[in-house]
Amino acid sequence: MTHPNSVIWRSFLGSMFVLFVFGSCGNDKSTEGGLLWRVSGNGLKSPSYLFGTNHVMSGDFLDSIPRFFEVLDSVKQLAVESDYSNPKDLDSQKQQNKFLPPDTTYLDLLDSKELAILDSILLTYSTVNLVKMNFNPNFLLVNLQLSILFKESREWAKENSYLRAVNFNRNIDFRVLKIAKFRSYPIIELDSEEELDRLGLKDWSILFSSDNLHVRATEMVQSFKDIQADSLVGIAKEMMTAYYKQDLQLINRWSTHPKSLKDEKAKAIYYTIAIERNLLWMDKIVSTIEQQPTLVAVGVAHLPGEEGIINLLKKEGFTVEPVK
C-alpha cells in the first residue's frame, strides 16, 4: 500500500477514480475543446496557456498532445497545483492524524458485516491484513481507492496501455515539472498549505461527516460498497478513455454522470475540492500570467464549467480558446 503523504493527496485530487474530484463544474461551451487552451487579450503582452492534466496517466502521453511542446517552449514559467516533486513537501501531512489511536483497531470500530467488507477489500487491494491495519479511516480510504484504481487499470491497459495508472514519478505532472525545472522555469504553486488545511484536504477530514472514529470507519466501508453498487470503476474507465481522446466535452459528459454526485455530501466535497480551489487560485493565476507567459497545468477537472478556470478567466476579460 502506498504511504499516505502529500504525494497521495495531490494524486488523489486528480485521480480518475474519485469521480467528484474529476468532475467538471457544469455544462457550457467551455467543454468544446481539448486539453490545451490559449489565454490572451486583456492587456497581456504575450499569451499564456492552460493545460488540463491527468495525475495518473503516463507522462509519455504528452507526446500525443498537438503543439504541447511548442507551447512549453513559448512560456517562461509554470504554475501547478503543488510542486510535489519538491522533497520539502513530502512530510507536510499532519503526522499524528495518519494512524488509529494506539489502543484502537478496526475490530473495535466496525460490526461483523462491515469487518467482512473491509477485510475483503484489504485482501484484494493491499498487502496489510485487517489485524495489522492501523491507518485511520481518512488515510485508509484514500489509499485503498487509489489501490483499486491502480489494480483495475491494469486490466484496462490490455486494451490501451495509456489507461494504466502510473506511479507519481512517471505521470504527466512529474514530466512537465521535470522539463520546466531543467529549463530553470520558475514554479508557481497555486495551493497553499494553510488553505488546504482550512479546507480539510491535508488530512482528508473533509471526506467524513463527523470526527467520531466509529462514524468515519462506517462511512469508509459504505464508500467501498458504493464503488461496487454504482459501477464507479466502469465510469472511471470511461473518463480515462475520454482523457485519452483529448475530448473535454466527452470528459464532461462522463464526469457529470448522476452516480458521481449522487447526494449532498458528495456535492459538498466536490465543491470544496474543485470549485472552491478554483476561486482561491484565480488571483494568483491572473497575477502570474500578467507577469510573464505561463503554462498553468492543473487537473482537467478544473478547466470546464461555469466556475471552471476557462470561464473564470473569460469573466476577467481574457480571451480563452482551444489550441488547434
Side-chain angles (χ1 to χ4, degrees), residues 29-40 48-50 66-67 71 246 248 303 310 314 319-324:
K29 62 183 180 181
S30 68
T31 61
E32 296 174 1
L35 307 176
L36 192 59
W37 294 70
R38 184 177 186 268
V39 183
S40 61
S48 285
Y49 295 87
L50 299 177
R67 300 186 62 190
V71 164
Q246 303 182 44
L248 197 58
L303 298 191
I310 291 171
K314 288 180 179 179
T319 299
V320 188
E321 53 196 354
V323 173
K324 301 295 187 182

Side-chain angles (χ1 to χ4, degrees), residues 28-90:
D28 71 356
K29 62 183 180 181
S30 68
T31 61
E32 296 174 1
L35 307 176
L36 192 59
W37 294 70
R38 184 177 186 268
V39 183
S40 61
N42 202 24
L44 294 183
K45 296 180 180 179
S46 300
S48 285
Y49 295 87
L50 299 177
F51 171 57
T53 186
N54 178 323
H55 304 318
V56 295
M57 189 170 279
S58 169
D60 293 340
F61 188 68
L62 288 176
D63 299 321
S64 304
I65 301 172
R67 300 186 62 190
F68 179 83
F69 290 99
E70 177 186 334
V71 164
L72 195 56
D73 288 341
S74 74
V75 299
K76 302 297 183 183
Q77 58 187 4
L78 174 69
V80 294
E81 296 175 39
S82 295
D83 179 6
Y84 65 81
S85 69
N86 191 335
K88 71 179 177 60
D89 288 336
L90 295 181

Side-chain angles (χ1 to χ4, degrees), residues 84-153:
Y84 65 81
S85 69
N86 191 335
K88 71 179 177 60
D89 288 336
L90 295 181
D91 294 319
S92 65
Q93 290 291 327
K94 296 178 178 180
Q95 300 293 326
Q96 71 275 17
N97 290 334
K98 290 181 181 179
F99 304 103
L100 293 170
D103 57 347
T104 303
T105 71
Y106 282 102
L107 298 175
D108 305 312
L109 299 175
L110 300 171
D111 63 29
S112 58
K113 291 183 179 179
E114 293 166 338
L115 286 168
I117 294 170
L118 179 57
D119 192 45
S120 175
I121 293 290
L122 288 171
L123 287 172
T124 305
Y125 296 107
S126 84
T127 58
V128 182
N129 63 31
L130 184 61
V131 174
K132 294 182 179 180
M133 175 50 64
N134 65 344
F135 286 159
N136 72 18
N138 306 36
F139 287 94
L140 184 54
L141 175 58
V142 172
N143 270 268
L144 284 176
Q145 287 190 332
L146 282 172
S147 294
I148 292 169
L149 170 64
F150 274 62
K151 183 170 183 178
E152 296 297 330
S153 73

